[in-house]
Amino acid sequence: MAGLTGKRVGMRTVKFANPPSILAAASVVGPKEGEGPLSQYFDVVVDDPMFGESTPERAETRFLFEAGRLALDKAKLAPQGVDYFLAGDLLDQIVSSSFAARRLGIPYVGLFGACATVAEGVSLGSMLLDGGFASKVLVATSSHYQSAERQFRYPIELNIQRKGTAQYTATGAGAAVLGAAGDGPVVTHATIGRVVDFGIKDPNDFGAAMAPAAVDTFVSHLRDLGRSPNDYDLVLTGDLAQVGKALFGELVARQGYQLGDNYDDCGVMLYEPRQETGVGGSGCACSAVVACGYVAKSMIAGKFRRVLLISTGALLSPLTYQQGESIPAIAHAIVIEAADVVDEGDGAT
Amino acid sequence: MAGLTGKRVGMRTVKFANPPSILAAASVVGPKEGEGPLSQYFDVVVDDPMFGESTPERAETRFLFEAGRLALDKAKLAPQGVDYFLAGDLLDQIVSSSFAARRLGIPYVGLFGACATVAEGVSLGSMLLDGGFASKVLVATSSHYQSAERQFRYPIELNIQRKGTAQYTATGAGAAVLGAAGDGPVVTHATIGRVVDFGIKDPNDFGAAMAPAAVDTFVSHLRDLGRSPNDYDLVLTGDLAQVGKALFGELVARQGYQLGDNYDDCGVMLYEPRQETGVGGSGCACSAVVACGYVAKSMIAGKFRRVLLISTGALLSPLTYQQGESIPAIAHAIVIEAADVVDEGDGAT
């Protein structure tokens, strides 16, 4: 049990003994995301949201597959060189992931963490690497505006008016190849979330439903490591968007922590107000493309040395909403650090 | 990388350095399963398939929660004593698992492996334990005849005639508490599956769609370990049912392996022909309740010393079927051994 003591820190957080490297990250997005403020950070902007496919579900699968293939190419790996493919998405029975897995042919671990899937995947993938069960893993997730709208709300052809607090599901996919050894930023810690439900029932207000879960994971993480928000160059929530982001700040303050300019939300960052995307982005792709695009490239450029990503997910289905259930939410957090800072002043944690 | 070499065997299989113990297993089933041949092995048979709830989805959540709670009780653990809850099910957005996770309050890792979820969960949970990231994990999965029928096919109220090759979704849930140390049978190996698709498009013939995936994982597993089917006291596939079981035997024979009386399929074992359950059982609960009921209790009684469970899953959704896609399938395998046989004559693997 000696190894156990060293790898768990506090109640909820694990610290990797040999922090896995992000060997490559890739982001493939749709036109709307390509017109947003983060455009320059995405590897591929596809002009056609249908990606040449006949249905939005097939288009989403294509986004996921292409992001995975691009990440492998960047890492100079064939699918045969990867031990596990960890993936999930929002579609019923995560078919985008399973159909991409069919094409990739890598042993496949299907996940569902709603819009928090990228952090769930990186957390698990890092555990498999640090635990000695793999030398390379591919993590990927996707979402698509049209497939999500028609599954969770209404087909876009109906032109239903959007609610004021509604978010806009990002179209795209993010993928990362993690390795037990290699260059690149490393994953140093992971904090797996609990399900938190404050009784919110409005499926057009996911940000408010998810904010308490993000706070629970964030505060647990800080307490486990004895850190403050200022110990990170960047703290990112996944897709709280404008309403949830403000609520997150308030709830964190009540716990005695102050957020500064180093805090932002992927859903707020992904679009500009002129793009008519409601209060901001959402979907599995939201934090995935920001992490695999903006964060990865900014870290390689030396802009950030330690980033905390808290991906957020709403664990409902249309059916649970129709049956009057409130919206359970979850948040998973990962710490990404520049490879040269991992052992600096971190002795206590 | 020294640890890595020791934990991976062959192309696809991992061998646990410190095989996690199954501290407790629990099975809670509906009335039909309770009338079947394995009745005596289940912990709880609930007479009312609705479990006192108002909808089949809520009933399924209840089965999952009760199986998890019973497994914790048997292991004399409170939810606070468990590091991770790994769970998944067939419902859209795996809501049975997420709603059970809300009630349990354990940090939650949502999974989707269709009807192979129990083996996916035990594989991952064992990696988290053996990797030093947890000391206890709870793995659980569920399915429900009524919630599955109305989501994947037709509400049972419509009384649609069933196809000849159709299977019957099991109602119930299986749960297991795994520990890094402790008494009880142990999980020694895991083989994570690839997606295999032979182009079968009939959603009333899952057994035929899944058999090739089961063969792929089974043969990979045997080759990785240099074993034959006779090295196991019991080889179980998850829910191939009668059609898929026969096909599995044929396909395995073509690969040069002969199956004997030690092979059976959970879907075939769960019901008797007089119960009008088509060609046999299916659903996440099928292999979960057979593993957590029959296998666990038979091993504790000394009947089996080494069991290979190959859980099988069809990774389709109603939508992919409607869009003309074939059925991708997957199978994950785990080896469970009586604690006293782990180190016997196993030096080479």
Side-chain angles (χ1 to χ4, degrees), chain A residues 62-84:
Chain A
R62 182 82 189 276
F63 274 99
L64 184 53
F65 173 77
E66 296 296 345
R69 180 157 71 176
L70 182 56
L72 292 175
D73 284 350
K74 285 186 174 190
K76 297 186 173 59
L77 285 169
Q80 295 78 12
V82 176
D83 301 302
Y84 298 115

Side-chain angles (χ1 to χ4, degrees), chain A residues 23 36 55 78 84 92 110 128 186 198 226 230 250 257-258 267 296 322:
Chain A
L23 303 180
T55 72
Y84 298 115
D92 295 347
L128 302 194
V186 294
F198 272 28
N230 288 331
E250 284 177 35
Y257 294 100
Q258 289 305 317
Q322 288 158 9

Side-chain angles (χ1 to χ4, degrees), chain A residues 12-16 123 127 188-192 221 333-335:
Chain A
R12 303 258 299 276
T13 300
V14 300
K15 178 187 177 187
F16 299 110
S123 297
M127 292 185 203
T188 59
H189 301 79
T191 306
I192 293 288
H221 176 85
I334 52 173
V335 179

Side-chain angles (χ1 to χ4, degrees), chain B residues 92-134:
Chain B
D92 295 346
Q93 287 71 55
I94 61 166
V95 288
S96 307
S97 300
S98 297
F99 279 77
R102 180 175 72 178
R103 201 164 159 195
L104 286 165
I106 305 168
Y108 167 54
V109 177
L111 306 177
F112 182 78
C115 307
T117 299
V118 68
E120 180 182 331
V122 171
S123 297
L124 282 178
S126 298
M127 292 186 204
L128 302 194
L129 292 163
D130 190 45
F133 304 105

